[in-house]
């Protein structure tokens, strides 16, 4: 992904500069910069010394555990006894387990709320802001971003209150306007609980996408909007042909980040529904936590972690590749 | 021109303001309602959720702070966050400097190894980490919270600081070398002071992420006296879910420190989140 970022910057660099210096000139500049990096103080072992303390902690507490998760996923391990190799048994059990599939399905269902809806809201708001100058934008931004700083546990508890059957504002409002029949214990309702959890995810997400997109729009060349107007583009065409292509990178990034958030839901389900009622809001991370730490099936849970990681990496990678491809085609 | 344009522009701006305000309201109303609830007593709850309390009951906070041990959780959270952020800044200034300005073999490989920590979800770490902490006799101690979060921060911070050090103008490095600076003194006397804005953004991000960490604390800590605020809040919710005002007061205690940091450093936080996201 590092090389990808570099590639992107490189291509953007070219497109940003209309003069387009010759390739030879660019290469020469690159070569000329090089000797500057070779400083007399640079003894090669010094780099290792500076890296060592942090890298050691990182290797012990993150990197090696990741490798061990992979290893343990092929073992029968209670978390307390010696792990016993059992080949693909954990994965076979996973593939045949209805609970796991329903949890995975729910994660993908939550992508609609955690990912798609915030992106749509963000684009809608951004489209309003491209044609007009809005005063006090900073104040809006600061307020809209607040859910990003809050602990997810706090968010979940605040929404438990919002959706409280008796005292929650939603039901109180429904009753006061005579829609008593619609009031229900949202988070405990067999039909509505997934939508209620999803709505909380959308609430957390839209501030992020809005701020990301609005910042992105500011880096779109204003001349493009002028040109669009000269050609008599209506607001939709302006959005479709100027704003949307200009925000492609932000949209892709928002998708990847919010997709990962949807795949990793844990805290929110833990405090709002605990996977209930009847398992309809069960998610993979919650299953994983229960199996590893409640019922001593740590090896099986490790297989779940491997599957989850694979899905996250695969989708992120494919999305970023598509975006790089599109950027490349355009140049 | 001006007078002709005004009437047509004003309504459009106004409708944009209205739409923005609605979304803003939706973002902050749940918080305001929780704040109001935290000052109410049970009889007052039945009234309108957003009405001001008839009497302001500060007892809910007293009860949360001492009886429900949120005072202890608060101290734990502060200790963990200060340790994690302090150690991480020191380590990532060093590693970012090495990765950004120094030349050595295997840098690309190390970069990829560190990148793994940024891309792989923490769920793929926590299970063996739990076993490791028990083997090291660190399970159920504050170190089982500090060390993994330092390690997590290390991968983010190394990329963050590396990007900064790569952007340092070569002239400054040259001048420092000519002045006879060793690499160590150049780092701390010249580059570190210059890096303050970049470090500040990182500190704000790490503060908030560490403060809000949940899964790690849930798994590593059994002793109630060692819990941090988010896990304390989740367990309070489990035990006292009917005492809405107490839970609301506890929620406010958990949230206010992050909000204060956010309001002071909102520019750093927002731009940090956005540039961090785009860089990924």
């Amino acid at each position: 992904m590092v090389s990808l970022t570099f590639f992107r910057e490189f291509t953007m660099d070219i497109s940003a500069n209309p003069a387009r210096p010759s390739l030879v000139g660019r290469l020469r500049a690159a070569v000329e910069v090089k000797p500057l990096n070779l400083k007399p103080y640079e003894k090669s072992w010094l780099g290792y010394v500076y890296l060592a303390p942090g890298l050691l902690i990182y290797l012990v507490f993150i990197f090696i555990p990741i490798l061990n998760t992979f290893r343990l996923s092929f073992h029968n391990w209670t978390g307390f006894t010696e792990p016993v190799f059992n080949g693909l048994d954990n994965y076979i059990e996973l593939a045949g387990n209805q609970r796991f599939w329903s949890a995975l399905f729910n994660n993908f269902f939550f992508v609609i709320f955690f990912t798609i809806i915030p992106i749509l809201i963000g684009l809608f708001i951004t489209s309003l802001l491209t044609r007009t100058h809005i005063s006090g934008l900073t104040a809006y931004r600061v307020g809209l971003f607040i859910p990003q700083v809050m602990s997810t546990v706090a968010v979940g508890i605040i929404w438990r209150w919002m959706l409280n059957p008796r005292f929650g504002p939603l039901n109180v409002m429904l009753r006061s306007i005579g829609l008593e029949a619609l009031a229900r214990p949202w988070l405990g309702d067999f039909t509505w609980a997934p939508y209620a959890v999803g709505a909380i995810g959308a609430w957390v997400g839209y501030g992020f996408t809005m701020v990301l997109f609005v910042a992105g729009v500011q880096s779109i060349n204003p001349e493009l909007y002028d040109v669009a107007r000269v050609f008599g583009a209506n607001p939709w065409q302006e959005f479709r042909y100027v704003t949307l292509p200009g925000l492609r990178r932000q949209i892709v990034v928002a998708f990847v980040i919010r997709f990962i958030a949807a795949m990793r839901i844990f805290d929110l389900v833990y405090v709002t529904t605990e996977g209930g009622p009847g398992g309809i809001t069960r998610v993979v991370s919650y299953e994983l936590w229960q199996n590893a730490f409640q019922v001593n099936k740590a090896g099986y849970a490790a297989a779940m972690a491997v599957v989850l990681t694979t899905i996250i990496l695969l989708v992120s990678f494919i999305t970023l590749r598509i975006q790089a491809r599109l950027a490349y085609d355009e140049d | 021109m001006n007078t002709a344009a005004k009437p047509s522009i004003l309504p459009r701006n106004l409708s944009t303001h209205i739409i923005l305000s609605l979304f803003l309201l939706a973002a902050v109303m749940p918080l305001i309602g929780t704040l109001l609830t935290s000052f109410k007593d049970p009889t007052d709850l039945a009234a309108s959720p957003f009405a001001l309390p008839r009497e302001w009951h500060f007892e809910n906070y007293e009860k949360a702070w001492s009886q429900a041990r949120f005072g202890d959780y608060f101290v734990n959270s502060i200790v963990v966050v200060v340790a994690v952020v302090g150690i991480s800044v020191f380590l990532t200034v060093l590693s970012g400097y090495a990765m950004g300005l120094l030349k050595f073999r295997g840098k690309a490989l190390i970069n990829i190894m560190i990148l793994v920590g940024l891309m792989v979800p923490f769920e793929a770490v926590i299970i063996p980490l739990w076993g490791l902490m028990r083997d090291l006799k660190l399970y159920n101690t504050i170190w089982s919270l500090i060390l993994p979060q330092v390690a997590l921060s290390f991968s983010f911070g190394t990329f963050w600081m590396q990007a900064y050090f790569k952007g340092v103008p070569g002239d400054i490095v040259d001048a420092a070398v000519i002045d006879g600076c060793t690499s160590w003194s150049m780092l701390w006397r010249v580059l570190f002071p210059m890096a303050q804005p970049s470090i500040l953004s990182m500190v704000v991000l790490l503060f908030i992420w560490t403060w809000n960490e949940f899964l790690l604390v849930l798994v590593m800590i059994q002793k109630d006296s060692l819990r941090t605020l988010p896990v304390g809040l989740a367990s309070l919710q489990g035990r006292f879910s009917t005492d809405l005002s107490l839970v609301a007061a506890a929620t406010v205690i958990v949230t206010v420190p992050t909000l204060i940091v956010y309001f002071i450093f909102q520019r750093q936080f927002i731009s940090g989140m956005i540039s961090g996201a785009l860089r990924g």
Side-chain angles (χ1 to χ4, degrees):
Chain A
M1 204 138 66
V2 168
S3 63
L4 204 142
T5 314
F6 168 75
F7 173 76
R8 227 190 263 134
E9 273 162 15
F10 186 75
T11 49
M12 279 193 345
D13 194 28
I14 294 176
S15 58
N17 187 349
R20 279 207 189 202
S22 72
L23 189 62
V24 178
R26 291 182 68 88
L27 281 175
R28 188 174 299 141
V31 172
E32 268 166 10
V33 173
K34 270 234 161 99
L36 255 178
N37 287 339
L38 289 167
K39 296 287 168 294
Y41 61 84
E42 283 177 8
K43 302 184 185 69
S44 68
W45 52 268
L46 217 50
Y48 300 117
V49 175
Y50 286 146
L51 258 172
L55 194 60
L56 187 75
I57 293 179
Y58 169 74
L59 289 179
V60 171
F61 296 103
I62 302 290
F63 192 77
I64 295 172
I66 291 173
L67 300 181
N68 273 330
T69 298
F70 188 68
R71 185 177 61 88
L72 288 167
S73 73
F74 302 105
H75 288 74
N76 186 356
W77 188 43
T78 62
F80 298 96
T81 50
E82 264 311 295
V84 179
F85 182 78
N86 67 355
L88 288 172
D89 284 4
N90 291 328
Y91 291 94
I92 291 164
E93 186 181 344
L94 211 55
N97 189 323
Q98 188 50 44
R99 278 176 74 102
F100 173 71
W101 285 108
S102 75
L104 193 59
F105 172 84
N106 287 337
N107 278 106
F108 277 98
F109 169 80
F110 284 132
V111 169
I112 300 170
F113 290 88
F114 280 63
T115 316
I116 310 293
I117 290 178
I119 288 177
L120 294 179
I121 294 176
L123 285 175
F124 168 66
I125 294 296
T126 310
S127 70
L128 293 177
L129 295 178
T130 52
R131 286 176 78 89
T132 46
H133 174 76
I134 292 294
S135 51
L137 197 59
T138 309
Y140 286 118
R141 178 162 45 213
V142 171
L144 287 165
F145 219 63
I146 284 178
Q148 305 303 311
V149 258
M150 293 171 55
S151 126
T152 315
V153 175
V155 168
I157 286 175
I158 286 172
W159 278 90
R160 274 185 81 115
W161 170 75
M162 290 288 289
L163 303 172
N164 184 287
R166 270 189 70 197
F167 305 111
L170 183 59
N171 280 354
V172 169
M173 189 196 75
L174 288 172
R175 281 192 213 106
S176 71
I177 56 173
L179 293 172
E180 175 96 45
L182 289 179
R184 62 197 69 227
W186 299 94
L187 288 163
D189 189 282
F190 274 90
T191 312
W192 287 95
Y195 298 95
V197 173
I200 303 172
W203 180 80
V204 173
Y206 77 75
F208 176 71
T209 55
M210 264 189 204
V211 172
L212 184 68
F213 296 163
V214 170
V217 153
Q218 276 153 10
S219 65
I220 295 176
N221 189 344
E223 282 171 25
L224 291 175
Y225 286 103
D226 294 340
V227 171
R229 265 166 234 195
V230 167
F231 281 96
N234 63 31
W236 165 249
Q237 288 166 326
E238 193 177 291
F239 174 74
R240 171 70 189 76
Y241 295 106
V242 182
T243 308
L244 210 53
L247 283 182
R248 202 173 44 217
R249 179 143 171 255
Q250 278 77 9
I251 295 168
V252 165
V253 164
F255 178 82
V256 170
I257 288 181
R258 296 302 304 165
F259 175 81
I260 294 173
M263 286 294 128
R264 293 189 56 196
I265 304 167
F266 176 74
D267 315 16
L268 191 59
V269 161
Y270 184 94
V271 291
T272 54
T273 62
E274 295 179 48
I280 58 166
T281 58
R282 193 185 283 141
V283 284
V284 173
S285 291
Y286 196 79
E287 274 291 290
L288 183 151
W289 173 77
Q290 276 191 322
N291 275 292
F293 307 112
Q294 308 286 102
V295 298
N296 300 334
K297 289 178 73 177
Y300 176 64
M304 233 179 261
V306 171
V307 172
L308 183 71
T309 306
T310 310
I311 293 173
I312 286 177
L313 292 185
L314 215 63
V315 172
S316 311
F317 185 72
I318 291 171
T319 314
L320 289 168
R321 274 310 279 266
I322 291 172
Q323 121 86 8
R325 194 61 204 252
L326 286 172
Y328 181 78
D329 286 346
E330 211 159 76
D331 292 329
Chain B
M1 177 82 193
N2 253 348
T3 45
K6 248 183 186 165
S8 68
I9 280 175
L10 194 67
R12 192 164 55 189
N13 259 348
L14 193 67
S15 62
T16 309
H17 273 293
I18 290 169
I19 293 170
L20 276 174
S21 303
L22 284 178
F23 278 103
L24 180 65
L25 219 58
V28 296
M29 279 313 264
L31 258 140
I32 293 170
T34 302
L35 187 66
L36 292 172
T37 304
S38 73
F39 290 108
K40 292 177 180 176
D41 78 347
T43 56
D44 209 359
L45 285 175
S48 167
F50 290 104
L52 290 178
R54 256 177 309 197
E55 271 175 80
W56 294 78
H57 291 273
F58 290 88
E59 305 94 88
N60 295 321
Y61 285 90
E62 262 173 56
K63 204 172 152 196
W65 191 263
S66 46
Q67 259 170 275
R69 301 192 76 164
F70 273 64
D72 294 347
Y73 304 153
F74 196 93
V75 173
N76 294 337
S77 277
I78 294 280
V79 169
V80 171
V81 166
V82 168
V84 168
V85 174
I87 298 171
S88 302
V89 166
F90 178 72
L91 293 177
T92 59
V93 166
L94 290 179
S95 63
Y97 175 56
M99 299 298 283
L101 277 176
L102 303 184
K103 273 219 155 79
F104 51 91
R105 220 174 277 206
K107 202 151 98 175
L109 183 72
I110 293 173
N111 231 335
I112 290 170
M113 276 167 71
I114 298 175
L115 190 67
V116 167
L118 274 184
M119 294 175 59
V120 170
F122 194 60
E123 282 81 355
V125 178
I126 189 76
I127 300 168
L129 190 64
W130 172 62
L132 177 71
M133 286 301 177
R134 280 178 301 150
D135 293 346
L136 296 174
K137 305 268 185 289
L138 294 177
Y139 178 72
N140 227 349
T141 70
I142 207 98
W143 291 104
S144 66
L145 306 183
I146 294 172
L147 290 167
Q149 294 195 86
V150 167
L152 267 182
S153 309
F154 177 78
S155 56
F156 171 78
T158 301
F159 276 99
W160 186 263
M161 292 316 297
Q162 177 180 353
Y164 168 77
F165 283 114
K166 271 185 184 153
V168 171
D171 300 356
I172 289 171
V173 180
D174 289 339
V177 172
I178 290 164
D179 284 351
C181 274
T182 62
S183 118
W184 180 260
S185 66
M186 177 170 79
L187 172 60
W188 294 106
R189 295 231 191 102
V190 183
L191 298 176
F192 182 72
M194 280 171 53
Q196 293 308 318
S198 208
I199 292 174
L200 180 62
S201 294
M202 182 173 80
V203 165
V204 175
L205 291 170
L206 292 182
F207 175 96
I208 287 170
W209 292 339
T210 309
W211 187 272
N212 293 339
E213 177 57 43
F214 182 70
L215 179 61
L216 178 71
V217 190
L218 185 70
V219 170
M220 294 298 169
I221 299 297
Q222 294 297 309
K223 265 190 238 155
D224 188 34
S225 61
L226 283 178
R227 282 180 173 147
T228 58
L229 285 169
V231 173
L233 181 59
S235 87
L236 180 78
Q237 159 71 42
R239 284 173 292 149
F240 292 93
S241 59
T242 49
D243 193 341
L244 289 178
S245 298
L246 175 68
V247 174
T251 308
V252 173
I253 293 175
V254 175
T255 312
V256 160
T258 54
L259 284 182
I260 291 174
V261 170
Y262 170 65
F263 283 129
I264 298 174
F265 300 109
Q266 46 93 4
R267 221 147 37 93
Q268 282 84 357
F269 183 76
I270 294 176
S271 68
M273 284 278 281
I274 286 178
S275 65
L278 289 176
R279 221 178 278 169

